[in-house]
Amino acid sequence: MKDAKLIAKSHPAHQTSIDLGHEITVGGDELLIIGGPCTVESLTQMEQVATQLAGSVQALRGGVFKPRTSPYSFQGMGNAGLAILDDIRQRFRLPVVTEVMAIAQIKAIAAQADMLQVGSRNMQNFDLLKALGKTRQPVLLKRGLAATIEEFVMAAEYIVSHGNANVVLCERGIRSFDNYTRNVLDLGAVVALKQITHLPVIVDPSHAAGKRELVPNLAKAAIAAGADGLIIECHPEPEKSVSDARQALSLEEMVALVHSLRPIAEAVGRQIPGLRQPVLAIA
Ligand code: PEP
Ligand code: MN
């Protein structure tokens, strides 16, 4: 394995905690649970998501620049979607995570979201990684569709070596021979990454499973394996999601899942933050 210089763990207790704003951190004793739709579809949709999840999750997700397999599929709301995320994060005082696909999008996303996701398809887009390294914005780096652990680690090293230490790794499943699940969740990588690097490591069971009924137990397994958090797709009307409908939980299922994770978190010495102070649901 090539040596990571800056993100290598120097001793077992060496662990970075990253501030996402809104008094939320990742990498400490408290887990980071991120919930929300694959794609931002409307202000009403995001208000429903935020209102129902505000007491359960620590951050919201929603893509506005979407990397779709087909060029004929909906490509995301773009800047109009960013404005929705900005509105929601201010009113609900929760960090929001959204995907950045191009260097030209960084400035606008950094101004209107709290964490920039580099999707699987861009994990080795080295120019994008270098450009994100020149910001101080937290980056959620997802593992490539078929990336080795070494390639994943070195992609994170690209961002950190260009000046941005605020990187969170995300295991989201890798391609294998079996297509019953969309991808294969590699929990061995989570355990290994926690030993190799001092960066926080979170898990995306939604894109790993591709089927909603598999998500809760994979989420539990990820926390038991030592993950620092989860990013999970959920939607007010899962079947109507414009993308990734088959893997989306309902908001009620998401709230129930977070509740069911508490004893598992405690068993491995972690906590899930409790209900936050009341939020302004209406502007
Ligand atoms: C997503 O988070 O909606 C997404 C496209 O993820 P990934 O890059 O892991 O496929
Ligand atoms: Mn998705």
Side-chain angles (χ1 to χ4, degrees), residues 39-41 62-66 74-85 98-99 105 108-109 112:
T39 299
V40 173
E41 298 166 22
V64 301
F65 298 107
K66 293 301 300 178
F74 181 58
Q75 303 285 306
M77 290 184 74
N79 289 331
L82 273 185
I84 291 174
L85 290 177
T98 197
E99 179 159 351
Q105 295 163 354
I109 300 179
Q112 294 171 89

Side-chain angles (χ1 to χ4, degrees), residues 49-95:
V49 169
T51 303
Q52 288 201 51
L53 297 190
S56 300
V57 303
Q58 292 72 54
L60 299 172
R61 64 152 287 148
V64 301
F65 298 107
K66 293 301 300 178
R68 305 303 301 279
T69 300
S70 166
Y72 309 114
S73 300
F74 181 58
Q75 303 285 306
M77 290 184 74
N79 289 331
L82 273 185
I84 291 174
L85 290 177
D86 194 20
D87 180 38
I88 292 290
R89 73 182 177 138
Q90 292 188 39
R91 281 161 51 200
F92 289 86
R93 298 191 207 115
L94 281 173

Side-chain angles (χ1 to χ4, degrees), residues 78-239:
N79 289 331
L82 273 185
I84 291 174
L85 290 177
D86 194 20
D87 180 38
I88 292 290
R89 73 182 177 138
Q90 292 188 39
R91 281 161 51 200
F92 289 86
R93 298 191 207 115
L94 281 173
V96 301
V97 184
T98 197
E99 179 159 351
V100 57
M101 286 174 51
I103 294 172
Q105 295 163 354
I106 293 176
K107 200 170 162 202
I109 300 179
Q112 294 171 89
D114 303 279
M115 191 181 214
L116 280 65
Q117 172 174 320
V118 176
S120 285
R121 292 152 192 84
N122 270 318
M123 187 205 80
Q124 285 188 315
N125 181 340
F126 297 116
D127 284 345
L128 180 62
L129 302 180
K130 288 179 197 171
L132 288 166
K134 293 191 185 114
T135 75
R136 295 294 171 271
Q137 202 80 13
V139 174
L140 181 62
L141 179 66
K142 297 187 92 176
R143 184 178 183 183
L145 304 170
T148 65
I149 292 175
E150 176 179 316
E151 288 164 341
F152 190 19
V153 166
M154 296 317 284
E157 187 84 9
Y158 257 92
I159 303 171
V160 177
S161 65
H162 282 77
N164 185 359
N166 300 315
V167 179
V168 178
L169 302 174
C170 179
E171 159 59 32
R172 46 77 74 202
I174 47 172
R175 284 244 165 110
S176 188
F177 58 88
D178 195 346
N179 59 7
Y180 180 81
T181 55
R182 185 175 178 183
N183 293 287
V184 175
L185 182 61
D186 186 0
L187 287 182
V190 176
V191 178
L193 288 165
K194 291 290 297 175
Q195 293 175 4
I196 296 166
T197 101
H198 56 83
L199 298 178
V201 180
I202 72 167
V203 167
D204 174 349
S206 305
H207 290 87
K211 294 178 174 170
R212 68 175 63 83
E213 62 272 24
L214 300 179
V215 169
N217 281 1
L218 291 178
K220 290 176 190 163
I223 297 307
D228 295 296
L230 297 163
I231 179 165
I232 296 176
E233 287 186 346
C234 50
H235 191 284
E237 296 176 283
E239 289 80 11

Side-chain angles (χ1 to χ4, degrees), residues 247-270:
Q247 68 199 33
L249 299 182
S250 69
L251 300 178
E252 295 75 18
E253 287 167 336
M254 180 69 191
V255 170
L257 170 56
V258 178
H259 189 69
S260 75
L261 291 170
R262 287 186 192 279
I264 295 163
E266 278 167 29
V268 292
R270 312 296 286 270

